[in-house]
């Protein structure tokens, strides 16, 4: 058997995705590998295909117990013998797994990092022929990453105790230089084959909205999703509670996940979501690492996350099966304060000394700054993300809220001059710098108490922008800041002019800026519009078949107690609806249908399809 046969017969896919082949080849040639691919890029197959081909055992280190179960389930479903070792097993179950391991019954075994250096574990594993050690979510090893897990540091110790070092393969979606370096150094990868694939996820729509009322906006967005699966991320436990209550009251099958719940409730809620008993998961960032539920069709951020890394990872949980999905962030100024507050919180069990801690804090603030700039961006959101990860990208993806808003380049030289001179005059009059709120009030001719107390109505710029929305003035100020004409003091928020401002004020430099067109505001496409746009994918008739197949899938999944997506992914059902196979050999040609699954489910699906042809 070769890798193509494994891909087709077991997993039912026709071709490898970018990067997969190089990593698999590396492993099969006995080299260490390091794969850096976005969430949903298909990292699992990079160690699962070799696991099916290699003679000895493949051990996978994975950070989350609850998710190993699903991975193992999915592997068994395609005919690859697999097991997991973690604290969810009772002593009897554990002994059974060890016994079978010794018999060579498994091709792949998932382990929790905490287990790695227990004596029994090491003893048993040093007697086995280990061909491959795969470290999933390898960024957990780095203190600089998002999700540092001290237990990941045990991996190296485990390796050193083995009589023979297996091939080591590391995988992560985190692209920052520091984390990459840590992974390679701490795991002591030996001249690894490095593969960094493109970070783009073209099937994801990116949108930022600044609603007046987030609850209403959320309900509006969810209405378009009907009974599709999705995640709503909130910044705090409190927000999770209130949003989850709101959705439940509105009749949504919502559940929640955050660190304040008991471990049991977390596990139950997660299961409910994975098995489609609940369609909306409302959660803090504690939820989701390693989740490979493939039919998540939207990820909405009720609050802004702390970094683009975190955002892209969380949003990336949508559309993993390659079907169109939406990632929408509901932004408000309050989010910036909350995020800052969270960054300043002292950590429990802080492993860092004060100097390191200060460096981390500074880095966190920089990351936050980039995130805020994303939220306020009027240019292509996707290319902002890609450039952040160091991937060159030309602007204009056509599938984000900035691209679809058709912002018009507008000459704002006049407004810029007024604004800058207002900043200067207020400062000259008061002798100190003030924030954008007061500047807006002056420009709009506000009659507020503060204005009269400070006698700012005497200024010549007072009321010069009457009638312009405060938000537009803020947008202009922000644009000037990004262009290096203005600077906001990070501590007290005071605005001051930069040197270059003189070019606009006195030398006639022109300023243009992208502004929303008169009527159309940058609302994202509705589901309906999006689906129409993607009409090429499924016709109305096919859509109907697809819905019927989905219903059948849920029925089958319930019957055997597995999550629906482990039966077939949405992408597979869509392909099925398109190809409308009539017999088994046609059925096998559907993407995502392997040999075993065609045997198990083929009959039921073929029968359902008969009703439509
Ligand atoms: P991640 O890189 O985030 O770990 P996964 O390994 O969970 O991604 O894969 C995401 C989805 O992509 C899964 O549903 C998987 O079955 C699918 N997938 C992986 N490789 C391929 C492929 N070569 N062709 C089609 N689908 C694939
Ligand atoms: Mg993964
Ligand atoms: Zn775009």
């Amino acid at each position: 058997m070769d890798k193509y046969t494994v891909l087709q017969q077991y997993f039912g896919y026709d071709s490898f995705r970018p990067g997969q082949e190089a990593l698999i080849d590396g492993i099969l040639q006995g080299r260490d590998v390091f794969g850096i691919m976005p969430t949903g890029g298909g990292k699992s197959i990079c160690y699962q295909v070799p696991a099916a081909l290699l003679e000895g055992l493949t051990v996978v280190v994975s950070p989350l117990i609850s998710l190993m179960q699903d991975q193992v389930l999915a592997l068994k479903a395609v005919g690859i013998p697999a097991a997991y070792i973690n604290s969810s097993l009772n002593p009897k179950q554990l002994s059974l797994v060890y016994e079978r391991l010794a018999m060579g019954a498994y091709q792949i075994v998932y382990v929790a990092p905490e287990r790695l250096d227990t004596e029994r574990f090491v003893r048993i594993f040093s007697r086995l022929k280990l061909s491959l050690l795969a470290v999933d979510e390898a960024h957990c090893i780095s203190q600089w990453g998002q999700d540092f897990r001290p237990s990941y540091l045990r991996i190296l110790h485990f390796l050193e105790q083995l009589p023979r070092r297996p091939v080591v393969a590391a995988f992560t979606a985190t692209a920052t230089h520091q984390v990459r370096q840590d992974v390679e150094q701490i795991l002591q990868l030996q001249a690894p084959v490095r593969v960094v694939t493109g970070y783009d996820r073209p099937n994801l729509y990116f949108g930022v909205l600044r609603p007046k009322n987030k609850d209403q906006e959320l309900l509006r967005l969810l209405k378009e999703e009907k009974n599709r699966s999705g995640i709503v991320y909130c910044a705090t436990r409190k927000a999770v509670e209130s949003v989850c209550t709101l959705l439940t009251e509105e009749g949504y099958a919502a559940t929640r996940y955050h660190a304040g719940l008991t471990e049991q409730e977390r596990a139950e809620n997660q299961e409910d979501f994975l098995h489609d008993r609940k369609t909306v998961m409302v959660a803090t960032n504690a939820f989701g690492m390693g989740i490979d539920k493939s039919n998540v069709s939207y990820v909405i951020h009720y609050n802004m996350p702390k970094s683009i890394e975190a955002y892209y990872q969380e949003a990336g949980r949508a559309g993993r099966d390659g079907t169109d999905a939406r990632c929408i962030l509901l932004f408000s100024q309050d989010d910036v304060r909350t995020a800052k507050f969270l960054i300043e919180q002292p950590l429990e069990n802080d492993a860092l000394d004060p100097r390191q801690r200060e460096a981390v804090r500074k880095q966190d603030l920089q990351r936050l700054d980039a995130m805020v700039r994303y939220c306020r961006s009027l240019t292509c959101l996707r290319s902002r993300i890609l450039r952040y990860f160091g991937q060159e990208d030309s602007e204009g993806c056509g599938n984000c809220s900035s691209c679809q808003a058709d912002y018009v380049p507008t000459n704002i030289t006049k407004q810029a001059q007024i604004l800058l001179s207002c900043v200067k005059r207020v400062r000259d009059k008061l002798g100190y710098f003030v924030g954008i709120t007061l500047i807006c009030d002056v420009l709009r001719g506000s009659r507020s108490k503060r204005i009269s107390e400070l006698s700012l109505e005497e200024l010549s710029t007072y009321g010069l922008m009457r009638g312009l929305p405060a938000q537009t003035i803020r947008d202009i100020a922000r644009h000037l800041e990004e262009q290096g004409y203005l600077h906001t003091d990070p501590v007290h928020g005071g605005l001051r002019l930069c040197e270059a401002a003189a070019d606009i004020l006195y030398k006639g430099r022109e300023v243009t800026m992208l502004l929303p067109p008169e009527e159309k505001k940058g609302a994202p496409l509705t589901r309906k519009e999006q689906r129409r746009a993607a009409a090429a994918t499924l016709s109305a008739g096919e859509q109907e078949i697809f819905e019927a197949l989905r219903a059948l899938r849920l029925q089958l999944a319930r019957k055997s107690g597995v999550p629906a997506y482990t039966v077939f992914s949405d992408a597979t059902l869509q392909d099925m609806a398109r190809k409308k196979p009539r017999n088994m050999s046609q059925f096998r040609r559907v993407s995502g249908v392997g040999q075993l699954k065609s045997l198990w489910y083929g009959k039921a699906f073929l029968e359902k399809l008969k009703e439509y042809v």
Side-chain angles (χ1 to χ4, degrees):
M1 243 209 274
D2 62 14
K3 60 185 181 200
Y4 301 107
T5 323
V6 171
L7 187 72
Q8 266 160 15
Q9 292 203 347
Y10 288 98
F11 298 97
Y13 298 131
D14 288 337
S15 55
F16 286 105
R17 287 199 184 149
Q20 288 178 333
E21 234 177 323
L23 289 163
I24 291 170
D25 288 344
I27 293 173
L28 293 176
Q29 285 158 16
R31 292 196 46 191
D32 283 0
V33 305
F34 188 11
I36 300 154
M37 295 159 119
T39 311
K43 291 184 282 294
S44 323
I45 279 197
C46 300
Y47 55 81
Q48 289 169 344
V49 168
L53 287 168
L54 290 168
E55 199 193 311
L57 180 70
T58 292
V59 173
V60 184
V61 179
S62 164
L64 285 182
I65 292 176
S66 45
L67 299 157
M68 294 182 193
Q69 199 178 352
D70 278 341
Q71 293 254 1
V72 167
L73 219 64
L75 285 168
K76 284 188 186 162
V78 300
I80 299 175
Y84 55 84
I85 296 176
N86 60 42
S87 56
S88 77
L89 301 178
N90 63 34
K92 223 166 143 192
Q93 294 169 316
L94 190 63
S95 292
L96 194 65
V97 171
Y98 279 141
E99 216 173 282
R100 292 192 177 148
L101 255 178
M103 285 161 33
Y106 303 119
Q107 266 173 307
I108 185 163
V109 54
Y110 284 74
V111 301
E114 292 77 21
R115 292 273 143 172
L116 285 173
D117 53 8
T118 61
E119 204 188 311
R120 184 175 181 201
F121 188 92
V122 173
R123 184 157 35 82
I124 289 171
F125 275 80
S126 34
R127 283 200 220 117
L128 298 170
K129 181 171 186 307
L130 232 71
S131 305
L132 170 64
L133 180 90
V135 183
D136 206 3
E137 314 284 357
H139 60 279
C140 290
I141 212 166
S142 169
Q143 299 192 338
W144 298 97
Q146 308 278 319
D147 317 283
F148 174 52
R149 304 266 162 140
S151 54
Y152 260 61
L153 298 172
R154 302 179 186 184
I155 297 173
L156 188 68
H157 186 232
F158 169 68
L159 278 170
E160 284 168 352
Q161 286 172 284
L162 294 174
R164 207 181 59 97
R165 183 182 182 276
V167 169
V168 180
F171 301 92
T172 178
T174 304
T176 57
H177 180 69
Q178 192 142 33
V179 171
R180 284 190 212 180
Q181 236 179 4
D182 270 7
V183 170
E184 295 200 12
Q185 266 170 17
I186 300 175
L187 283 177
Q188 296 189 5
L189 296 184
Q190 296 171 4
V193 177
R194 294 186 195 87
V195 174
V196 185
T197 61
Y199 260 67
D200 193 14
R201 300 274 310 279
N203 62 318
L204 299 186
Y205 167 93
F206 287 97
V208 175
L209 296 173
R210 287 195 216 180
K212 285 225 168 65
N213 183 325
K214 286 192 179 183
D215 287 347
Q216 273 169 22
E217 187 65 28
L218 180 64
L219 291 176
R220 185 186 74 79
L221 291 167
L222 287 190
K223 216 161 153 189
E224 295 165 2
E225 303 289 345
K226 277 195 296 195
N227 40 20
R228 286 161 193 279
S229 272
I231 307 174
V232 178
Y233 276 110
C234 301
T236 61
R237 297 175 194 183
K238 217 171 110 198
V240 168
E241 292 294 337
S242 78
V243 169
C244 188
T245 309
L246 170 77
L247 296 184
T248 314
E249 280 170 5
E250 290 290 323
Y252 287 95
T255 185
R256 62 202 169 135
Y257 192 106
H258 60 67
L261 304 174
T262 63
E263 197 175 318
Q264 191 191 347
E265 183 176 357
R266 280 201 307 258
E268 279 169 16
N269 295 352
Q270 176 166 303
E271 285 282 287
D272 281 346
F273 178 64
L274 293 179
H275 290 247
D276 293 329
R277 292 188 290 264
K278 294 284 166 71
T279 49
V280 191
M281 171 57 90
V282 186
T284 60
N285 61 4
F287 175 77
M289 187 172 40
I291 290 263
D292 58 0
K293 183 175 168 64
S294 67
N295 63 337
V296 174
S297 75
Y298 58 92
V299 171
I300 297 174
H301 278 76
Y302 189 84
N303 301 109
M304 178 190 69
K306 285 183 287 181
S307 67
I308 290 185
E309 284 95 332
Y311 180 62
Y312 204 50
Q313 193 164 48
E314 287 160 17
R317 291 176 184 134
R320 296 178 79 140
D321 57 6
T323 57
D324 288 343
R326 300 202 288 178
C327 309
I328 293 173
L329 196 161
L330 306 181
F331 176 68
S332 78
Q333 199 55 38
D334 282 348
D335 291 339
V336 184
R337 276 189 284 276
T338 311
K340 278 200 177 131
F341 174 79
L342 291 174
I343 287 174
E344 304 293 348
Q345 286 296 298
L347 289 185
E348 268 173 63
N349 312 323
D350 197 343
L352 304 180
D353 66 43
R355 231 190 48 230
Q356 288 172 315
R357 168 60 41 214
E358 180 54 25
V360 169
R361 197 188 73 96
K362 241 167 114 188
Q363 197 180 37
D364 284 349
L365 287 173
Q366 277 169 9
R367 286 179 175 156
L368 176 64
D369 189 53
M371 185 73 242
V372 174
R373 271 184 277 129
Y374 170 88
C375 293
R376 292 173 169 164
S377 173
L378 295 177
T379 56
C380 180
L381 295 175
R382 185 183 312 276
S383 51
R384 273 217 175 225
I385 295 175
L386 296 180
R387 269 182 282 132
Y388 182 79
F389 288 120
Q391 190 175 326
E392 272 311 312
D393 188 74
S394 56
E395 275 192 6
C397 72
N399 193 25
C400 75
S401 56
S402 292
C403 284
Q404 292 183 353
D406 288 332
Y407 294 116
V408 202
T410 312
N411 187 320
I412 56 151
T413 311
K414 189 87 196 298
Q415 287 88 338
Q417 283 169 347
I418 296 173
L419 198 152
L420 293 174
S421 88
C422 183
V423 170
K424 182 171 179 313
R425 277 160 211 233
V426 172
R427 149 82 219 207
D428 289 348
K429 183 167 175 78
L430 302 179
Y432 54 87
F433 297 110
V434 304
I436 183 67
T437 310
L438 192 59
I439 298 289
C440 270
D441 284 351
V442 174
L443 288 169
R444 299 175 75 224
S446 150
R447 300 234 163 82
S448 75
K449 216 168 109 210
R450 186 134 179 251
I451 295 277
S452 53
E453 273 169 11
L454 299 172
S455 309
L456 291 175
E457 69 273 7
E458 294 165 9
L459 291 178
S460 59
T461 46
Y462 179 78
L464 277 185
M465 287 187 173
R466 220 181 289 258
L468 217 57
Q471 191 55 54
T472 308
I473 299 177
R474 283 172 186 270
D475 285 346
I476 293 173
R478 181 182 15 101
H479 180 70
L480 292 173
E481 181 156 2
E482 283 196 351
Q483 304 289 311
Y485 298 113
L486 265 182
H487 176 77
T488 307
D489 187 287
V491 179
H492 49 72
L495 271 183
R496 65 174 173 74
L497 301 188
C498 303
E499 250 172 65
D503 294 350
I504 298 178
L505 282 172
Y506 314 115
K507 296 186 192 153
R509 175 175 296 177
E510 303 246 313
V511 194
T512 52
M513 171 182 171
L514 292 172
L515 282 177
E518 285 305 309
E519 300 138 58
K520 206 166 109 204
K521 280 276 154 60
L525 287 187
T526 62
R527 253 299 158 195
K528 249 202 211 133
E529 288 170 324
Q530 221 178 37
R531 246 192 264 136
R532 224 175 293 138
T537 22
L538 282 192
S539 69
E542 289 165 350
Q543 185 67 30
E544 195 190 327
I545 299 177
F546 171 64
E547 297 293 342
L549 296 177
R550 265 168 43 120
L552 174 64
R553 174 181 68 180
L554 191 63
Q555 213 182 316
L556 293 172
R558 293 248 161 100
K559 216 162 72 189
S560 39
V562 297
Y565 62 87
T566 59
V567 175
F568 287 128
S569 71
D570 278 4
T572 297
L573 295 189
Q574 288 184 358
D575 199 41
M576 209 179 287
R578 229 173 281 127
K579 290 186 177 146
K580 302 178 208 43
R582 293 183 185 204
N583 53 42
M584 208 45 117
S585 72
Q586 289 176 356
F587 189 72
R588 289 232 180 96
R589 256 171 256 151
V590 173
S591 169
V593 177
Q595 226 163 31
L596 205 57
K597 284 195 184 175
S598 68
L599 288 178
W600 284 3
Y601 303 121
K603 215 166 134 236
F605 279 93
L606 284 171
E607 244 154 50
K608 179 58 68 185
L609 284 161
K610 257 194 212 140
E611 295 171 22
Y612 291 87
V613 283

